[in-house]
Amino acid sequence: YFVCMINGFFSPMPEAISSNRGVVNKFMCDSVMAYGGPPFTSPDEHATLACNAALSALEHLYRFRVDVAEKLGHQSESLDIDLRIGISTGNMILGNIGSKASRSFTVMGDPVNLGSRLEGVNKTYGTRIILSERTRELAGSAIYARELDLIRVQGKMEPTRIFELLDEEPEAGRFRIGLSAYRNQDWETAKHAFKSCIEEASTDSASKVYLQRIAYLEANPPVSGWDGGWDFRAK
């Protein structure tokens, strides 16, 4: 049944991607890699389509969880069925890449690497879909998102701003206030704002992460000139 369950989880993913004019590049163990953009879409819509594909995948996750619970009953309670998605936008190399012995049609470049990093970064914040700053910028008002953090990933010295993709308009203001206060090292204001976010939605794990960070930074003050960025050096 486990193999059937894995296949049942993956089967709708290509549809979520292709219905938003994306291309499934490869399946890697329990991951799916996809890309989009010209010539499959116009230059001004591929970021929005990628976000729509991610939200479609999330809807499938919810339906799949219900289906597994109906089939397995209480046994499903021990299963951790979830997904994480990273979306990054930028110039990439597309083509048959490899050696004479073995080649595959794929994409390469910094945006590909960043997308992979963002997928993993979800684990820290308890989020499911993280966007790069460029993706958020291009998608504009077509999506709902909140700024999540300023981070440094493996292989990059400059920080990158990241955003959480949401399926509805975010609560107005409090998380943004907390984030601004945090970067200004106004710990008390930041703690009050993040605690308010948790009172509003107990599932707001990102606010809980910031409260833990603030406790650490109060005991270990940042160096002079700290920009509020957080290091994610592991791959």
Side-chain angles (χ1 to χ4, degrees):
Y1 179 76
F2 181 75
V3 173
C4 292
M5 185 173 69
I6 293 295
N7 289 337
F9 178 80
F10 273 131
S11 294
M13 295 302 176
E15 181 180 349
I17 294 165
S18 62
S19 64
N20 287 283
R21 283 176 277 167
V23 178
V24 175
N25 183 226
K26 64 182 76 173
F27 288 89
M28 302 173 290
C29 191
D30 60 351
S31 302
V32 182
M33 178 178 171
Y35 61 88
F40 311 105
T41 71
S42 65
D44 60 350
E45 65 178 346
H46 60 276
T48 300
L49 290 169
C51 292
N52 290 342
L55 291 174
S56 294
L58 191 57
E59 290 176 5
H60 164 62
L61 170 69
Y62 298 145
R63 292 194 298 268
F64 183 75
R65 281 177 163 176
V66 171
D67 183 57
V68 170
E70 290 176 350
K71 291 180 178 178
L72 295 184
H74 69 277
Q75 293 179 345
S76 66
E77 296 173 4
S78 63
L79 298 176
D80 183 17
I81 303 173
D82 214 332
L83 59 72
R84 299 186 300 270
I85 299 173
I87 305 177
S88 176
T89 304
N91 294 324
M92 297 173 285
I93 299 170
L94 173 66
N96 287 306
I97 298 170
S99 67
K100 291 182 179 180
S102 177
R103 294 187 183 188
S104 62
F105 194 81
T106 189
V107 289
M108 295 177 61
D110 281 347
V112 180
N113 296 332
L114 178 57
S116 176
R117 300 287 186 268
L118 296 184
E119 181 273 323
V121 166
N122 277 291
K123 289 185 286 187
T124 295
Y125 302 96
T127 52
R128 291 196 172 101
I129 310 171
I130 292 182
L131 313 177
S132 72
E133 184 172 11
R134 183 58 175 157
T135 303
R136 176 68 188 96
E137 181 183 277
L138 290 176
S141 61
I143 64 168
Y144 296 122
R146 68 174 180 179
E147 184 176 348
L148 194 58
D149 207 348
L150 186 67
I151 67 171
R152 293 179 182 83
V153 297
Q154 177 73 18
K156 292 291 182 182
M157 294 303 296
E158 292 298 316
T160 182
R161 211 169 295 274
I162 61 173
F163 297 79
E164 179 186 9
L165 179 65
L166 304 170
D167 57 5
E168 61 183 10
E169 189 170 4
E171 176 275 330
R174 279 177 289 191
F175 189 87
R176 186 169 62 250
I177 290 170
L179 195 56
S180 176
Y182 166 83
R183 290 172 178 165
N184 289 320
Q185 300 182 47
D186 180 356
W187 307 132
E188 291 304 316
T189 300
K191 285 190 288 187
H192 182 268
F194 290 129
K195 286 177 181 177
S196 296
C197 291
I198 294 169
E199 289 171 2
E200 179 70 21
S202 60
T203 56
D204 189 354
S205 54
S207 290
K208 296 176 184 178
V209 168
Y210 273 105
L211 290 176
Q212 293 170 354
R213 276 196 201 166
I214 291 169
Y216 172 82
L217 292 169
E218 285 180 315
N220 304 272
V223 298
S224 176
W226 181 65
D227 60 7
W230 199 257
D231 287 350
F232 284 85
R233 296 306 189 189
K235 291 185 178 182

